[in-house]
Amino acid sequence: MEVRGAAHSYPVLVGSGLLEQLGVRVRQHLPRKTCAIISDSNVAPLFADRIKSSLISAGFKPMLITIPVGEKSKTLRQVGAICDRMIAAGLDRQSFVVGLGGGMIGDVSGFVAAIYHRGIPHIQIPTTLLAMVDSSIGGKTGVNTRDGKNLIGAVHQPSLVIDDLDILKTLPPREFNQGFAEIVKHAVIADAKMFRTLQSWDAGGAPALQRLIKRNVELKSRIVAKDEHDRTGERALLNFGHTVGHAIERAGNYREFLHGEAISLGIVAACAISMKRAGLGADQRAAIVDLLRRFGLPIRSPSKFPRDKIFKALKFDKKFESGKIRLVVTPRIGSARVATNVTMADIREAVKQL
Ligand SMILES: NC(=O)c1ccc[n+]([C@@H]2O[C@H](COP(=O)([O-])OP(=O)(O)OC[C@H]3O[C@@H](n4cnc5c(N)ncnc54)[C@H](O)[C@@H]3O)[C@@H](O)[C@H]2O)c1
Ligand SMILES: [Zn+2]
């Protein structure tokens, strides 16, 4: 499928067995020679060899850069080290970057592509469900700083995204499930029909998963296209569940919960606030919570989890910058808007109920 961005559009391929055709596919889009494959130490041993040989047989000269697994690699220092290696290997303005991994690698490799020689093409090969349905689309790239997540970055749209379903077979179940938090989010804010599909989801099989991924790519890219640089408020709808979710992630030192798990709790809180401030029906709230539970996602935080830390972490949220609270609410499944009448007390109450 073709994803239309504000400035240019790019293909997103969703299917099985795509890795083998990688070299040929890339050559159709990028008549260049040298590239850096950036991956992490879990993913590289699984897939990098296949990707390298597919690129080599199509006439490319790839170099592989493997960085340690996890959020701790999402730093400026790591980005600098990667750039140094690319410079040492002679990569130039005519080169391109292939990001092979989950959202962490997508953000790091995308940021490298955004700044290397002031910007070179970025090919995304997402390897987690979360990265396929969310982070690989929309062009947000960047790294964390000591004080917070994603505080430094750039918008740099990919040139090509390849979602190979076979790659997901090695993904641990907990990692797979967390992708559904963003999928449920997309359904709640924009697609009541997909919500019903999910209610009768039975692990589907490849064709159902392929359709689901395609639909999520479509939904996210459509929202992003209206507001690529996050200025008009349209893109903000994608933050549904993320205000409280980010605070929970931070309160758990990014170790207790995976991103999608924290977002699941954030969605539960956002639903409580939506009932109070946007007229969301109790039955719809229950259906959303029930759906999250079906995908093995948390809907209550552990009893010993420090609520205080969640409140403290809330004030780091970018949306609280000017002291005004703008929170995404859903009046009914399939729609969302930014509310300005939500109070800090509403948020506290919702968090307490978690
Ligand atoms: N740019 C955006 O728009 C955007 C949106 C959402 C999230 N993010 C970012 O994405 C990151 C989270 O992404 P994630 O959940 O994909 O995390 P991740 O990239 O850290 O991957 C999760 C774990 O799964 C492993 N893994 C990945 N693919 C695998 C596979 N196929 N088989 C076996 N193991 C595999 C990884 O090595 C890692 O240990 C965060 O840094 C977040 O900020 C960015
Ligand atoms: Zn998210």
Side-chain angles (χ1 to χ4, degrees):
M1 61 197 285
E2 196 70 16
V3 164
R4 239 188 302 270
H8 70 295
S9 62
Y10 54 93
V12 179
L13 311 175
V14 185
S16 298
L18 293 174
L19 282 195
E20 276 62 35
Q21 316 161 14
L22 180 73
V24 181
R25 298 280 192 173
V26 174
R27 205 172 45 198
Q28 291 167 354
H29 297 284
L30 291 174
R32 297 169 172 235
K33 248 198 139 48
T34 50
C35 66
I37 304 166
I38 303 177
S39 191
D40 76 25
S41 45
N42 275 344
V43 177
L46 294 171
F47 308 110
D49 277 353
R50 273 155 71 193
I51 283 171
K52 247 177 129 171
S53 41
S54 176
L55 286 169
I56 290 169
S57 50
F60 293 102
K61 280 196 184 148
M63 71 179 289
L64 174 65
I65 300 177
T66 305
I67 64 176
V69 167
E71 206 58 27
K72 61 184 182 301
S73 280
K74 238 177 94 170
T75 60
L76 267 186
R77 181 188 286 263
Q78 188 61 258
V79 164
I82 293 170
C83 289
D84 283 342
R85 286 187 60 186
M86 288 168 61
I87 291 164
L91 269 64
D92 59 17
R93 256 199 348 242
Q94 295 308 315
S95 307
F96 61 95
V97 169
V98 179
L100 170 68
M104 186 281 281
I105 285 295
D107 282 4
V108 170
S109 63
F111 190 50
V112 168
I115 61 175
Y116 195 75
H117 281 269
R118 297 191 188 82
I120 59 175
H122 183 217
I123 294 177
Q124 295 249 34
I125 308 182
T127 64
T128 64
L129 182 60
L130 182 134
M132 288 183 187
V133 298
D134 188 357
S135 58
S136 63
I137 303 299
K140 278 196 183 174
T141 74
V143 295
N144 307 327
T145 69
R146 195 194 51 204
D147 291 323
K149 274 195 52 155
N150 304 327
L151 291 180
I152 294 174
V155 174
H156 187 63
Q157 299 295 346
S159 301
L160 171 66
V161 181
I162 296 175
D163 293 346
D164 188 334
L165 302 182
D166 299 335
I167 281 188
L168 297 176
K169 287 177 186 154
T170 54
L171 195 62
R174 196 176 156 198
E175 295 286 351
F176 186 75
N177 286 345
Q178 69 152 333
F180 278 97
E182 306 286 5
I183 293 174
V184 171
K185 176 193 79 179
H186 286 154
V188 171
I189 65 172
D191 192 346
K193 186 164 166 249
M194 183 166 85
F195 191 90
R196 287 192 292 275
T197 304
L198 290 168
Q199 284 179 306
S200 52
W201 188 256
D202 61 349
L209 188 60
Q210 181 180 14
R211 275 196 303 276
L212 189 68
I213 292 170
K214 272 187 71 177
R215 181 65 189 141
N216 279 273
V217 169
E218 244 166 50
L219 283 168
K220 174 153 186 191
S221 59
R222 201 179 295 161
I223 293 173
V224 170
K226 291 185 197 157
D227 179 20
E228 199 163 66
H229 290 271
D230 224 346
R231 284 179 193 137
T232 66
E234 195 69 35
R235 190 167 184 159
L237 299 182
L238 293 164
N239 286 333
F240 181 68
H242 278 59
T243 298
V244 171
H246 281 150
I248 291 174
E249 252 186 312
R250 196 181 162 87
N253 293 323
Y254 299 100
R255 278 194 298 270
E256 195 111 353
F257 298 105
L258 299 178
H259 176 73
E261 294 171 344
I263 294 317
S264 176
L265 292 166
I267 290 174
V268 175
C271 284
I273 297 165
S274 299
M275 276 179 70
K276 189 166 175 196
R277 297 290 176 189
L280 178 71
D283 52 335
Q284 294 227 325
R285 187 205 88 101
I288 296 168
V289 174
D290 193 53
L291 193 53
L292 292 166
R293 189 183 14 229
R294 277 179 64 118
F295 290 107
L297 291 161
I299 51 166
R300 315 250 353 215
S301 69
S303 52
K304 57 179 185 333
F305 192 78
R307 304 286 192 286
D308 283 6
K309 280 183 93 177
I310 304 179
F311 298 135
K312 274 204 199 97
L314 270 169
K315 67 173 189 291
F316 283 95
D317 194 285
K318 281 177 261 180
K319 286 170 282 304
F320 290 93
E321 265 161 9
S322 55
K324 266 216 332 252
I325 300 172
R326 293 166 57 78
L327 199 95
V328 184
V329 291
T330 175
R332 64 181 179 285
I333 292 168
S335 70
R337 61 178 167 79
V338 175
T340 48
N341 60 343
V342 175
T343 65
M344 199 62 197
D346 295 337
I347 299 178
R348 277 177 170 273
E349 196 184 314
V351 169
K352 266 193 205 140
Q353 286 167 10
L354 283 175

